[in-house]
Amino acid sequence: MTESTLVIGLVLPDVMGTYGDGGNALVLRQRARLRGIDAEVLPITLADPVPATCDIYTLGGAEDYAQRLATRHLTQYPGMQEAAGRGAPVLAICAAIQVLGHWYETSEGERVDGISLFDLTTTPQATRSIGEIEGVPLVDGLTQPLTGFENHRGGSALGPDAAPLMRVVRGTGNGAGSPVDGVVQGSVLGTYMHGPALARNPELADLLLSRATGRSLEPLDLPDVELLRRERLRK
Ligand code: GLN
């Protein structure tokens, strides 16, 4: 790695990475490299302090106990929160949304404090939401429908400082009585879409990359990726 390398922090892949969410970091690296940007993935495990120096951070989903381990580690080493405070993009998938909120209730009904990067709270829904999810983006810079796979029991209610990522047209998303998915707060973005989300939604990957690099990126002409994206949106 050199000083100009774009460093993508893959946060706690040892405990948070259901459904290959770590692939989001690989997609970011690949789409950066295709534009001639030198990029590397830095795995940050439970054995490592979380550095504040990454250019972008990604976290995946997980079960209750793994969430607890992640919450404890991120509280002990608040490097990612520090980076988010200076505007570094963070992508949080599923359980990571819950960990980044104020608190979440486990399926046993126990309330666990999160790290409050998101103004939201999470409680178990009556039923688990499993299946394809699709929505219309509500964020400037995104024009294409967003798609992924969701599997979660928790439902997240957004507070006034948090905005949703998309209006859901198929699936559940955040639940909690609201037909929206995900959360956007400053440079931190979350979604219930697994998939990995960025493999299915290249426009979202490029939005994060352009924020991380501070420049607009030329479009990539990848017909196979585009074809795959369209197929996944087919009902
Ligand atoms: N344990 C959380 C829930 O069920 C998150 C699950 C996940 O990340 N897939 O709500």
Side-chain angles (χ1 to χ4, degrees):
M1 281 194 219
T2 69
E3 222 169 78
S4 63
T5 304
L6 184 86
V7 181
I8 301 156
L10 175 56
V11 182
L12 302 177
D14 45 346
V15 283
M16 304 275 283
T18 320
Y19 306 119
D21 292 327
N24 288 323
L26 301 180
V27 173
L28 289 169
R29 185 182 68 184
Q30 179 66 0
R31 294 186 74 83
R33 286 181 176 173
L34 286 170
R35 292 171 167 108
I37 300 166
D38 178 34
E40 292 296 348
V41 175
L42 177 68
I44 303 158
T45 72
L46 283 177
D48 311 307
V50 183
T53 47
C54 297
D55 298 293
I56 185 164
Y57 296 78
T58 67
L59 305 93
E63 315 77 22
D64 285 355
Y65 186 62
Q67 278 182 241
R68 218 177 256 266
L69 294 175
T71 309
R72 196 192 303 159
H73 196 73
L74 293 171
T75 305
Q76 190 181 356
Y77 300 106
M80 184 183 74
Q81 295 89 305
E82 191 185 320
R86 64 165 162 76
V90 176
L91 175 68
I93 305 295
C94 199
I97 293 188
Q98 305 174 4
V99 169
L100 268 56
H102 297 309
W103 52 259
Y104 56 92
E105 220 174 275
T106 66
S107 37
E108 266 82 53
E110 193 187 338
R111 194 174 279 195
V112 182
D113 281 339
I115 62 170
S116 289
L117 269 184
F118 285 142
D119 182 16
L120 66 81
T121 56
T122 302
T123 44
Q125 307 175 95
T127 54
R128 176 166 283 277
S129 300
I130 307 176
E132 292 294 309
I133 175 170
E134 185 190 328
V136 178
L138 298 170
V139 172
D140 281 350
L142 295 180
T143 57
Q144 295 174 340
L146 293 158
T147 163
F149 176 80
E150 62 180 333
N151 183 359
H152 57 106
R153 174 93 192 275
S156 298
L158 306 187
D161 292 338
L165 172 67
M166 66 179 181
R167 180 170 58 79
V168 170
V169 296
R170 185 160 55 137
T172 304
N174 293 354
S178 180
V180 295
D181 173 73
V183 47
V184 182
Q185 190 167 340
S187 63
V188 190
L189 198 147
T191 175
Y192 273 99
M193 292 184 295
H194 292 284
L198 299 187
R200 285 184 164 213
N201 304 288
E203 198 181 39
L204 182 57
D206 286 354
L207 179 74
L208 294 167
L209 273 180
S210 78
R211 287 181 180 174
T213 56
R215 63 174 166 101
S216 60
L217 301 171
E218 69 276 17
L220 292 174
D221 185 21
L222 302 171
D224 289 341
V225 172
E226 180 54 22
L227 189 68
L228 209 54
R229 195 186 68 76
R230 284 177 192 282
E231 271 193 1
R232 281 167 177 159
L233 285 168
R234 228 179 264 157
K235 311 258 177 335

